[in-house]
Amino acid sequence: MNKQALITGVTGQDGAYLSKLLLEKGYEVFGLVARRSSDSLWRLRYLGIEQQIKLLEGDLLDLSSLIRAMEESEADEVYNLGAQSFVATSWKQPIFTAQVTGVGVTHMLEAIRLTNPKARFYQASTSEMYGLIKESVQDENTPFHPRSPYGVAKLYGHWITVNYRESFDTFAVGGILFNHESPIRGIEFVTRKVTDAVARIKLGKQPKLYLGNIDTKRDWGFAGDYVEAMWLMLQQDRPDDYVIATGKTTSVRNMCEIAFSYVGLNYQDYVEIDPALYRPAEVEILLGNPAKAKVNLGWEAKTTLEELIVMMVEADIKRVEKA
Ligand code: NAP
Ligand code: F7E
């Protein structure tokens, strides 16, 4: 019999790629969609799967809607990807971020406990929890020190997931995913902001690109590879937490260089620094060690940063040409 999965955040980058993966595996996919006044299904359309997903109206802030979603979907697996996920916004809306990104996790866990305690639960934890890093390479045992209201909310979400596993025997896992990107990454995140600007500058539609701190470093991978790890975590005999990363770190500056040089441009001619884009507290560098995922899940990143950036620049050129 086919399995049923419920995905919160189905309209986001990871929700779209995960839906595609689960559909390919024969799952019946239910997606929780929060009410918005404008179209939020464009990523599902981009991947050609909009019609195959059963959309359920609901919001992580509304427990009753999550209970209904559990009842309607009869989900065996729940992937909690819904969040206010943009770090910069979390300083402007810290309470909202705490509610959706933090307490929303408990809402989802309670909905599971009240309806189907046997359902398996994936929590979208993050490398932002390491923040002011305590070890030069971060793994599952590295202590946390979040640097933003987003990181703090995610840390709460992570520990409440661990707590339900320890308190109620919930099959609950925390995937500590490092940054992952794609052609359907939100345009506010730095990689997509850069690849979109490269396309516009190349096609003569934008003169400059304004960025904040370009000396920070991230361990960037491809979202399509990372959703596979989410699924694998829920197929194990025992629930556990895993770091998902490439094991390589690159500065925003070098990422710009890769993206601009792909279209024959020098980033130094176009990138300007806008101090207003600096963050009140920064995560200077992240570098993950995905060894546990390799040994236990048989997972490793397949796509290099160069391949990822080329994929994104090419997709943005096509998009800008059509617009
Ligand atoms: P994203 O593109 O920003 O998607 C976030 C999703 O959450 C969207 O579908 C959004 O719906 C939904 N959402 C927001 N508020 C909600 C609410 N109150 N109730 C229900 N749904 C709500 O994020 P992503 O990049 O796919 O990331 C997926 C998850 O992984 C997030 O939890 C993120 O924090 C976490 N994470 C991401 C990364 C990364 O590098 N991408 C790394 C580690 C962890 P709308 O479309 O309607 O706004
Ligand atoms: O910033 C710097 C910025 O916004 C990356 C989320 O998915 O990954 C993401 O969080 C770096 C930071 O991602 C600009 O200061 C410079 O150092 O692309 P970002 P993030 O903050 O790392 C983690 C793992 C998550 O969990 C989050 O949900 O780039 N930077 N100039 C800039 N960043 C942005 N956005 N825009 C700039 O102009």
Side-chain angles (χ1 to χ4, degrees):
M1 221 178 72
N2 283 355
K3 279 189 180 175
Q4 284 99 305
L6 172 63
I7 303 176
T8 75
V10 74
T11 56
Q13 169 187 259
D14 292 6
Y17 279 108
L18 179 65
S19 296
K20 188 163 190 287
L21 178 79
L22 297 182
L23 287 167
E24 284 163 4
K25 291 187 183 295
Y27 279 69
E28 196 176 352
V29 177
F30 293 82
L32 189 86
V33 181
R35 176 178 144 66
R36 300 288 184 257
S37 62
S38 53
D39 174 43
S40 63
L41 302 180
W42 65 272
R43 292 186 173 94
L44 301 178
R45 262 195 299 283
Y46 183 93
L47 296 183
I49 55 172
E50 185 191 5
Q51 302 304 327
Q52 298 165 60
I53 296 167
K54 298 183 172 65
L55 300 176
L56 303 173
E57 210 176 304
D59 196 295
L60 283 166
L61 296 178
D62 185 332
L63 175 62
S64 64
S65 71
L66 303 181
I67 292 172
R68 263 194 297 281
M70 283 302 293
E71 286 171 347
E72 284 176 41
S73 64
E74 296 182 359
D76 312 290
E77 296 176 10
V78 177
Y79 296 85
N80 186 38
L81 311 184
Q84 190 303 94
S85 78
F86 189 42
V87 172
T89 291
S90 76
W91 278 283
K92 297 191 172 131
Q93 301 183 42
I95 299 165
F96 175 74
T97 302
Q99 286 167 340
V100 176
T101 305
V103 179
V105 185
T106 313
H107 286 172
M108 197 62 247
L109 284 163
E110 275 299 288
I112 289 173
R113 199 155 75 95
L114 291 165
T115 57
N116 177 15
K118 293 252 168 299
R120 296 184 169 204
F121 178 76
Y122 174 88
Q123 168 56 16
S125 292
T126 168
S127 51
E128 280 294 298
M129 301 188 306
Y130 297 119
L132 192 63
I133 55 167
K134 305 294 175 211
E135 289 169 336
S136 56
V137 184
Q138 301 89 51
D139 65 18
E140 294 79 3
N141 299 316
T142 302
F144 299 120
H145 183 145
R147 291 277 276 174
S148 63
Y150 168 79
V152 173
K154 278 287 180 184
L155 192 51
Y156 169 81
H158 183 72
W159 281 119
I160 200 70
T161 300
V162 173
N163 181 259
Y164 271 55
R165 183 164 80 213
E166 293 175 353
S167 306
F168 306 119
D169 231 5
T170 311
F171 193 109
V173 310
I176 308 175
L177 272 54
F178 283 60
N179 299 51
H180 46 280
E181 322 290 313
S182 73
I184 53 171
R185 180 61 143 152
I187 200 126
E188 65 275 32
F189 299 95
V190 79
T191 52
R192 183 72 209 295
K193 184 173 172 182
V194 169
T195 61
D196 176 68
V198 164
R200 286 175 187 283
I201 291 169
K202 183 71 186 170
L203 296 170
K205 300 199 171 182
Q206 179 177 323
K208 292 278 177 196
L209 167 62
Y210 291 91
L211 294 175
N213 185 347
I214 60 172
D215 291 314
T216 58
K217 291 183 161 182
R218 290 292 182 272
D219 180 332
W220 278 297
F222 171 47
D225 293 347
Y226 283 39
V227 296
E228 183 100 34
M230 297 179 185
W231 176 76
L232 284 167
M233 282 179 223
L234 291 196
Q235 312 313 310
Q236 304 307 302
D237 293 337
R238 283 185 327 101
D240 206 348
D241 306 323
Y242 291 94
V243 160
I244 300 298
T246 69
K248 292 199 174 99
T249 193
T250 308
S251 66
V252 174
R253 183 188 293 280
N254 285 348
M255 190 267 295
C256 288
E257 202 173 350
I258 296 169
F260 278 87
S261 67
Y262 179 66
V263 298
L265 300 177
N266 181 348
Y267 82 96
Q268 288 167 315
D269 295 335
Y270 301 97
V271 171
E272 303 274 347
I273 301 304
D274 178 356
L277 293 170
Y278 273 60
R279 296 176 176 180
E282 183 56 91
V283 175
E284 300 292 342
I285 177 167
L286 290 170
L287 173 57
N289 174 3
K292 180 175 166 183
K294 187 169 183 192
V295 173
N296 293 9
L297 308 177
W299 181 91
E300 60 187 323
K302 295 185 198 123
T303 313
T304 66
L305 179 61
E306 286 73 14
E307 289 165 343
L308 171 64
I309 296 299
V310 167
M311 188 196 311
M312 293 174 69
V313 170
E314 284 182 350
D316 277 320
I317 287 176
K318 272 198 200 132
R319 236 181 308 229
V320 175
E321 275 172 345
K322 262 204 245 155

